[in-house]
Amino acid sequence: MLDRYINLLKAGQIIAFPTETVYGLGADAWNLSAIQKVFDAKNRPADNPLIVHISSREMLHQFTDEIPEGAEKLMTAFWPGPLTLIFKKKPDVLDIVTAGLDTVAVRWPGHPLSQDIIARVGPLVAPSANSSGKPSPTKPEHIKEDFGEHFPIVEAGETQIGLESTVLDVSVSPFRLYRPGSIGQNQIENIIEKAIEVDEKNDGEKSPRSPGTKYSHYSPDARVQWLTEGTPLHSENLLYLLHQRIPEEPADNIIFFDHDYEEMAHQLYDRFRQADQNDYQTIFIEPLSPALQKKEPLAEALYNRISKAID
Ligand code: TXA
Ligand code: MG
């Protein structure tokens, strides 16, 4: 069933495939012209580096030979899984992958289909399989919206997590968190038994070291706004995403997650895309307090993605 996609990748073509976070747009990580196709298809700025996806420790060594002790512990704890680690790169890693930086981002995805594909083709670069500026795809339909009906997609339904991986730089000391995800700061610190640094607001503005975070990736066409406390919920062409505040009456335009942040993360990007299809003018989202974010890694990741969509 995978043969067609494996052959495309081996022939230097690009395909979309599922990971546990979002769908990725894959290309052979050692094929310059294939990787160029990824940038072209997404309309991605050339200064935004890609994540290399692997399925063995041996593949990791193609890209780096500087693995700090704390990174070893994190790989043991969280790989395969939704954690991207940034290492000092080996000299022959292609510049197009790293956007000319001296570091390379690597992740070992947990989805069995991604593992099968990588095991058969070799390491793949894979940004999220959306056009730049659109929300990351969590369903095959999202990819078809951006790249057309006939784009080659290894279809596997909805992705489990729904938000992109945690991105942690382990080439610096202390380690530095560039993008929060379902693996949170506390979990990382518990494993390495050290404090890490967190990019202020995770907005990347202060972090030229993670170029991608300066782009507003996550926006739907509808405006996204935090819902002010006490504001009554009404009009039909507004969409509300609530997690604590119980709606007085059920309505199609009011989605209530009832403290289920896994479900909210799972649905967020699909709700963004649906909002555009249903011509919702504004998406109001109940704020996620700092206290909640401390308790729930996904609330922190949700806050980060929603804040970017508001910018
Ligand atoms: O969950 C995910 O990570 C998904 C799935 C498909 O694996 N991929 C994904 O890739 O979200 P992308 O390209 O949409 O996001 C990669 C992020 C960008 O913010 C990029 O700037 C950052 O990782 N990044 C990549 N290489 C880096 C490097 N060497 N230094 C700093 N940041 C880097
Ligand atoms: Mg992306």
Side-chain angles (χ1 to χ4, degrees):
M1 169 247 169
L2 287 176
D3 288 358
R4 176 183 163 226
Y5 303 98
I6 306 281
N7 291 336
L8 284 170
L9 285 167
K10 285 185 176 166
Q13 299 301 320
I14 61 176
I15 65 152
F17 67 97
T19 81
E20 74 278 40
T21 56
V22 300
Y23 277 82
L25 191 62
D28 176 351
W30 292 108
N31 184 329
L32 177 67
S33 69
I35 300 168
Q36 188 58 52
K37 289 178 189 153
V38 168
F39 280 89
D40 293 346
K42 282 182 64 85
N43 201 10
R44 182 179 176 103
D47 68 350
N48 193 358
L50 301 172
I51 299 172
V52 174
H53 293 60
I54 60 169
S55 69
S56 69
R57 285 299 290 267
E58 197 201 317
M59 287 187 198
L60 175 63
H61 292 289
Q62 297 178 22
F63 297 89
T64 186
D65 49 21
E66 287 184 49
I67 303 176
E69 194 196 320
E72 284 287 355
K73 292 183 180 163
L74 292 170
M75 292 188 287
T76 304
F78 299 119
W79 278 8
L83 176 67
T84 296
L85 298 176
I86 295 175
F87 298 96
K88 279 264 175 299
K89 70 160 203 158
K90 280 189 169 178
D92 51 349
V93 178
L94 298 177
D95 273 340
I96 191 172
V97 174
T98 63
L101 298 174
D102 62 355
T103 54
V104 61
V106 184
R107 136 169 152 81
W108 182 336
H111 198 291
L113 284 174
S114 52
Q115 293 184 3
D116 285 356
I117 296 167
I118 296 162
R120 290 175 62 186
V121 177
L124 299 179
V125 295
S128 48
N130 52 286
S131 304
S132 277
K134 290 282 179 193
S136 292
T138 59
K139 292 179 173 176
E141 298 85 285
H142 298 162
I143 303 166
K144 292 175 188 168
E145 274 166 36
D146 289 8
F147 300 126
E149 271 308 305
H150 301 294
F151 195 83
I153 305 169
V154 178
E155 297 204 21
E158 297 182 15
T159 58
Q160 180 207 334
I161 297 172
L163 298 179
E164 306 85 348
S165 61
T166 304
V167 177
L168 182 74
D169 191 343
V170 297
S171 76
V172 290
S173 186
F175 295 170
R176 201 172 173 90
L177 185 71
Y178 291 145
R179 184 172 74 183
S182 64
I183 294 171
Q185 181 184 357
N186 289 344
Q187 284 164 283
I188 292 169
E189 291 180 334
N190 285 340
I191 296 292
I192 61 174
E193 298 174 297
K194 273 187 199 152
I196 60 169
E197 270 177 38
V198 177
D199 258 25
E200 190 132 339
K201 273 183 64 217
N202 300 113
D203 64 2
E205 295 301 311
K206 295 186 187 65
S207 179
R209 276 176 305 198
S210 192
T213 50
K214 73 172 180 268
Y215 298 108
S216 158
H217 304 277
Y218 308 106
S219 326
D221 297 332
R223 278 180 60 199
V224 181
Q225 279 194 294
W226 295 117
L227 179 66
T228 316
E229 220 184 301
T231 310
L233 313 179
H234 52 87
S235 174
E236 299 269 303
N237 69 347
L238 304 176
L239 179 67
Y240 296 94
L241 303 183
L242 308 179
H243 51 92
Q244 292 181 330
R245 175 174 165 178
I246 302 169
E248 293 98 74
E249 281 169 54
D252 284 349
N253 66 323
I254 302 175
I255 314 300
F256 178 48
F257 292 105
D258 197 4
H259 300 81
D260 187 345
Y261 299 98
E262 279 186 23
E263 191 54 33
M264 191 168 171
H266 178 75
Q267 290 189 22
L268 183 76
Y269 290 147
D270 189 44
R271 294 286 174 192
F272 278 0
R273 284 182 183 256
Q274 279 175 17
D276 289 339
Q277 279 173 354
N278 297 327
D279 288 325
Y280 284 113
Q281 203 176 67
T282 306
I283 308 167
F284 282 107
I285 306 180
E286 183 178 0
L288 299 136
S289 69
L292 178 69
Q293 291 180 52
K294 262 205 138 55
K295 228 173 51 200
E296 295 267 357
L298 277 170
E300 187 189 346
L302 281 162
Y303 174 83
N304 169 268
R305 307 305 193 275
I306 295 163
S307 302
K308 286 185 180 217
I310 289 174
D311 283 350

